[in-house]
Amino acid sequence: MLVAPRMALATVSTERRFVFIIQRGAADGLNIVIPYADPAYARLRGSLAIDMGQATKLDGAFALHPALAETAKMYTARQALFVHAVASPYRDRSHFDGQNVLETGGTQPYEVKDGWLNRLVAMMPRQKNEAIALAATVPMALRGSAEVTSYAPSSLPQPSDDLLLRVSQLYAADPQLHAIWSSALDAKGLADGSAARQDPASLGKLAASFLVKPNGPRIAMLETGGWDTHTGQESRLAAQLKALDALVASLRDGLGPAWTQTTVLVATEFGRTVAANGTGGTDHGTGAVAMLLGGAVRGGRVVADWPGLGSGQLYQGRDLRPTTDLNALIASASAESLGLDPNRVRQSLFGNRASAWPNGDLLGA
């Protein structure tokens, strides 16, 4: 599930936590948060339309996919908020280019050379001069001037305790190697038995184990893949959402009391076509849905300037028309989450490329 999800973390001086989950592959927002009150939805989706007898109604216009059972509980507890018809500035429907724009905060692919999440880390008072990526490579959103190291579980046999002790003794007198070795052992101890399996619940538990440490990271990024549902979407999307639901629920449970100071942002590079295609799926689209989850979120709401799915209302006659700037949502959510000035965060992350968030507070009571 989620195609080998990966994680990256950053250490900053705060007790608030901000987690970014990227859905690589263009997740179908129309079947995640379902606009059941729009008559064109069922007509254009046909057999792919979600059965409203199984979905969870959120309000008089939208419902939640039935696979998101724990997310539905968070919504009831006012810990989940959904933002619909949202998009980055990108419009050309290429996964690689769309993900680059989403992660860098540019207006065009490869226009910006570092990631908005790295720029966010750089704004925070630092406890250490590093971030940690539990992956073979650091995702684009965390690349930049803030130092990042990576850790990936080895496929080699596990070293014995005696060998680890001997290497520790060897490095004890070296100030540089001793610090690096100690950091590696710390990461290994947390990752063993979890990262190697990479199932969603274990990934959520692993992320929480870092985030709850007294001097641990407070900013994390989780990568999930497998959202490109051109064929067989019904079962594939249900499996993806069930896995995402388990990941977030495990993160919530692992954080314990720290969940009340946590904001999780879930977003994808773009949405999918409104109409189903001829192979039981949907194709690359534009407008999508983003989620805010966590004990710090002022949830129990769907935020949507709904453009409609009828004739003449679609973007280029095929896609959900975006009416909300994803960059504005990212800037506002991350600023509120970490107690930073929203205007300063927006300028640092996106310059003049993002508008101010127009829809009121996202977090707090």
Side-chain angles (χ1 to χ4, degrees):
M1 301 300 179
L2 298 178
V3 189
R6 302 187 299 176
M7 177 175 66
L9 306 104
T11 303
V12 294
S13 183
T14 181
E15 284 308 305
R16 306 182 187 204
R17 282 101 173 151
F18 180 75
V19 180
F20 174 47
I21 300 178
I22 186 171
Q23 298 167 294
R24 298 195 186 278
D28 181 24
L30 290 171
N31 272 15
I32 296 174
V33 176
I34 307 145
Y36 70 89
D38 192 315
Y41 167 75
R43 175 174 56 83
L44 292 171
R45 280 294 161 108
S47 62
L48 278 186
I50 301 298
D51 182 357
M52 289 309 301
Q54 299 179 18
T56 302
K57 284 192 176 182
L58 302 174
D59 57 23
F62 298 97
L64 192 64
H65 192 287
L68 293 170
E70 290 298 319
T71 305
K73 294 177 184 177
M74 295 180 209
Y75 184 87
T76 301
R78 300 187 181 278
Q79 295 181 353
L81 179 153
F82 307 107
V83 182
H84 223 319
V86 65
S88 79
Y90 182 72
R91 295 290 180 271
D92 289 336
R93 306 185 184 96
S94 161
H95 290 304
F96 296 110
D97 291 351
Q99 289 170 27
N100 182 269
V101 171
L102 170 58
E103 293 186 78
T104 62
T107 57
Q108 299 293 328
Y110 313 104
E111 172 189 37
V112 179
K113 303 305 180 184
D114 59 357
W116 65 261
L117 195 54
N118 190 283
R119 297 194 290 276
L120 180 67
V121 171
M123 295 183 69
M124 300 293 297
R126 302 297 301 280
Q127 291 178 328
K128 299 179 182 178
N129 292 322
E130 66 178 19
I132 302 175
L134 266 76
T137 59
V138 176
M140 185 65 232
L142 258 178
R143 296 181 191 175
S145 60
E147 184 180 350
V148 175
T149 59
S150 63
Y151 169 85
S154 174
S155 59
L156 297 173
Q158 289 295 313
S160 67
D161 290 342
D162 180 65
L163 176 60
L164 294 177
L165 176 62
R166 289 174 183 271
V167 176
S168 296
Q169 292 172 340
L170 179 65
Y171 288 166
D174 189 306
Q176 182 176 7
L177 291 178
H178 177 70
I180 295 172
W181 178 251
S182 298
S183 177
L185 287 181
D186 187 41
K188 178 184 181 299
L190 285 170
D192 278 354
S194 295
R197 290 195 303 271
Q198 290 193 334
D199 63 281
S202 291
L203 183 69
K205 181 179 179 181
L206 178 62
S209 70
F210 278 98
L211 292 166
V212 296
K213 291 183 66 177
N215 295 317
R218 295 296 180 258
I219 295 176
M221 178 177 175
L222 309 181
E223 297 183 279
T224 68
W227 298 95
D228 195 16
T229 51
H230 287 284
T231 61
Q233 176 172 304
E234 183 175 6
S235 59
R236 290 174 60 194
L237 182 63
Q240 287 290 115
L241 292 175
K242 184 177 180 181
L244 177 65
D245 198 56
L247 189 161
V248 176
S250 179
L251 176 66
R252 174 199 62 195
D253 296 343
L255 285 171
W259 179 250
T260 62
Q261 295 178 290
T262 299
T263 304
V264 180
L265 170 64
V266 183
T268 192
E269 67 262 31
F270 45 75
R272 307 195 72 82
T273 52
V274 177
N277 61 28
T279 58
T282 52
D283 298 321
H284 298 177
T286 306
V289 70
M291 310 181 198
L292 283 180
L293 312 163
V297 175
R298 188 164 68 89
R301 300 179 289 151
V302 179
V303 177
D305 179 9
W306 190 244
L309 303 177
S311 177
Q313 296 176 314
L314 302 181
Y315 178 71
Q316 295 185 348
R318 49 171 277 167
D319 300 341
L320 174 64
R321 184 180 299 277
T323 58
T324 300
D325 180 6
L326 179 56
N327 288 350
L329 173 64
I330 290 171
S332 183
S334 59
E336 288 190 54
S337 176
L338 297 172
L340 301 172
D341 177 72
N343 291 326
R344 180 169 167 258
V345 169
R346 187 174 69 254
Q347 184 64 34
S348 178
L349 269 55
F350 304 110
N352 297 321
R353 301 183 297 275
S355 56
W357 180 251
N359 296 56
D361 291 340
L362 296 167
L363 311 185

